Amino acid sequence: MKFDIKQFIRPNVAKMKPYSSARDEFKDFDKEMIFLDANENPFETNVNRYPDPQQRKLKSILSKQKNIPVDQILLGNGSDEVLDLIFRAFCEPSKDNIITLPPTYGMYNVLASLNNIENREVLLDSDFQPDLDEISRIADTRTKLLFFCSPNNPTGNLISSEAILNLLKNFNGLVVIDEAYIDFSEEESWITKLNEFSNLIITQTLSKAYGLAGIRLGICYASSEIISVLNKIKPPYNINELTQQKAIEQLQNVEKVQMEITSLIEEKNQLLKALNEKKFIKKIYPTDANFILIKVDDAEKRYSQLLENGIVVRNRSSQPLCENTLRITIGTPSENEKLITILKEFK
Ligand SMILES: *Cc1c(COP(=O)(O)O)cnc(C)c1O
């Protein structure tokens, strides 16, 4: 199937002219200049100037590390902003629809509601894998987006690459793969397939493996055509100066990040062993992420017991296929040790 992105851009977005900021019009940041163009306060505070709206330094580092051209990268105020931009660029409110595969990340549905887009939900199967027949049955000419989350939240598993490949080839719409947890997995990112599939959009984040949830930095990788549409509609200064500085600092320190990831995976394996010995835990789901989903005898009871002992986990029981489940994030070695000690007391 030939995918033509032009057919998917909302007409108002295709027509609109983006806001042009002072920093957009003047691009030569390298030379010493006197900036009297943006009504800023000239006295130095480190953040008295507007940030670079195109985040050139940050993107050039990502570009080198991920081996992808700068014009195929868009940054957002968290992945949540990136996902919202995707809705607003490609989905016509009250006309278009999207497909999501619950149990999965809650923001796809929140953003669909916010943008008044119908969310057609196709439940994952009992192994938390997509139901391809049902997806193709439910998709129609107004289905613009299909969301995969891999590794999936809250289940923790990878989505089968055959299923994703099948839909990249056969679904006539944009396929969004949310890779918030990809750094914890052995599986490689779908970034390497961007040249092959012009309908592919990948989102990543610095909120999980990179330890920077507080700065809000989400990343989108896609064709340069898709990225230019998203660039056109993004708020001009959506990535603040402090975030850009902190992200650059952390990306230049990838060895430290890699060591933390290795340690978290090691910790996860320890915790998995300890959980395995508990009778009240009925099932431990396979995980490629930095969390573990478990099915217990009574989620409400176990949740409260943990809370009484000063440990907060997430009760995911309200999600489809997740009755009596708790999601446990991997903590520091001493936090995990405390959890294991407390669990030993549980009858
Ligand atoms: C945590 C998480 C994100 C991260 O969102 P940010 O806005 O970048 O913090 C994205 N997708 C999934 C599935 C997540 O679990």
Side-chain angles (χ1 to χ4, degrees):
M1 193 181 309
K2 182 84 189 78
F3 179 81
D4 181 9
I5 185 66
K6 289 201 185 64
Q7 294 176 1
F8 286 85
I9 305 168
R10 287 170 64 199
N12 63 311
V13 170
K15 270 198 308 231
M16 73 177 257
K17 262 177 90 134
Y19 174 75
S20 178
S21 70
R23 289 294 177 270
D24 270 322
E25 285 172 11
F26 184 79
K27 293 192 163 63
D28 188 0
F29 275 70
D30 294 335
K31 218 162 127 203
E32 276 298 311
M33 303 298 279
I34 296 172
F35 289 107
L36 306 178
D37 57 346
N39 303 344
E40 300 145 332
N41 181 327
F43 299 109
E44 268 304 326
T45 61
N46 178 42
V47 287
N48 57 311
R49 299 292 178 185
Y50 278 102
D52 176 5
Q54 320 208 31
Q55 310 100 23
R56 270 163 288 197
K57 183 160 182 213
L58 178 46
K59 279 189 200 160
S60 81
I61 297 171
L62 281 169
S63 167
K64 283 200 200 84
Q65 291 186 355
K66 303 285 176 174
N67 193 23
I68 186 166
V70 166
D71 67 359
Q72 291 188 252
I73 306 174
L74 172 111
L75 304 179
N77 184 4
S79 324
D80 294 345
E81 185 183 48
V82 170
L83 295 167
D84 186 49
L85 290 172
I86 295 169
F87 272 93
R88 292 205 271 171
F90 302 112
C91 298
E92 199 60 40
S94 76
K95 290 197 178 123
D96 289 336
N97 66 77
I98 62 156
I99 295 177
T100 64
L101 314 175
T104 193
Y105 187 46
M107 275 310 283
Y108 315 138
N109 190 49
V110 169
L111 291 168
S113 305
L114 176 64
N115 289 288
N116 200 13
I117 307 298
E118 181 195 351
N119 179 14
R120 300 188 172 175
E121 299 187 314
V122 180
L123 282 194
L124 295 172
D125 67 19
S126 54
D127 294 322
F128 297 136
Q129 292 299 330
D131 179 345
L132 295 183
D133 292 338
E134 185 61 12
I135 292 170
S136 63
R137 198 187 64 76
I138 215 169
D140 63 21
T141 56
R142 303 233 62 132
T143 308
K144 299 300 167 73
L145 308 173
L146 168 61
F147 286 90
F148 289 108
C149 184
S150 183
N152 189 32
N153 179 7
T155 61
N157 63 297
L158 284 162
I159 301 299
S160 109
S161 46
E162 293 81 51
I164 295 180
L165 262 185
N166 180 305
L167 285 152
L168 279 169
K169 287 179 188 153
N170 298 314
F171 171 66
N172 188 30
L174 291 152
V175 175
V176 182
I177 307 180
D178 183 337
E179 292 188 334
Y181 299 97
I182 193 67
D183 304 290
F184 298 107
S185 172
E186 299 274 304
E187 191 82 356
E188 76 172 9
S189 163
W190 283 86
I191 286 182
T192 54
K193 299 284 192 296
L194 275 174
N195 288 338
E196 231 172 292
F197 299 104
S198 50
N199 59 342
L200 171 59
I201 299 180
I202 295 153
T203 65
Q204 295 184 356
T205 178
L206 298 195
S207 295
K208 306 288 157 62
Y210 282 79
L212 296 178
I215 71 169
R216 313 303 302 126
L217 193 87
I219 310 163
C220 177
Y221 302 102
S223 71
S224 57
E225 289 81 9
I226 292 174
I227 295 298
S228 80
V229 178
L230 299 177
N231 255 322
K232 188 164 120 170
I233 64 169
K234 83 172 182 66
Y237 301 115
N238 62 330
I239 312 298
N240 73 67
E241 180 61 31
L242 296 174
T243 293
Q244 294 191 42
Q245 288 177 9
K246 190 71 193 175
I248 289 165
E249 188 188 311
Q250 192 80 324
L251 289 170
Q252 285 169 336
N253 209 348
V254 278
E255 296 80 18
K256 182 184 135 232
V257 173
Q258 201 48 57
M259 271 168 54
E260 288 175 0
I261 292 171
T262 307
S263 146
L264 287 168
I265 293 171
E266 175 59 30
E267 285 293 312
K268 179 172 76 172
N269 292 332
Q270 299 282 350
L271 185 55
L272 282 169
K273 270 191 214 142
L275 295 174
N276 226 335
E277 283 161 21
K278 297 307 298 179
K279 284 229 169 51
F280 74 86
I281 299 176
K282 302 299 171 195
K283 186 162 184 180
I284 303 172
Y285 294 91
T287 169
D288 263 68
N290 65 331
F291 59 83
I292 303 170
L293 187 74
I294 56 173
K295 192 183 270 302
V296 297
D297 52 352
D298 181 346
E300 197 81 43
K301 172 178 158 192
R302 302 304 175 182
Y303 177 85
S304 309
Q305 267 182 318
L306 285 167
L307 212 53
E308 281 159 21
N309 285 281
I311 294 182
V312 190
V313 298
R314 194 93 198 264
N315 187 347
R316 295 281 71 194
S317 301
S318 63
Q319 297 283 301
L321 310 174
C322 293
E323 198 188 327
N324 278 322
T325 59
L326 299 175
R327 192 191 66 195
I328 307 171
T329 309
I330 309 305
T332 63
S334 75
E335 289 170 341
N336 303 327
E337 204 175 301
K338 265 191 202 133
L339 171 63
I340 291 170
T341 309
I342 287 162
L343 284 174
K344 283 203 176 116
E345 315 273 290
F346 284 20
K347 296 277 169 350

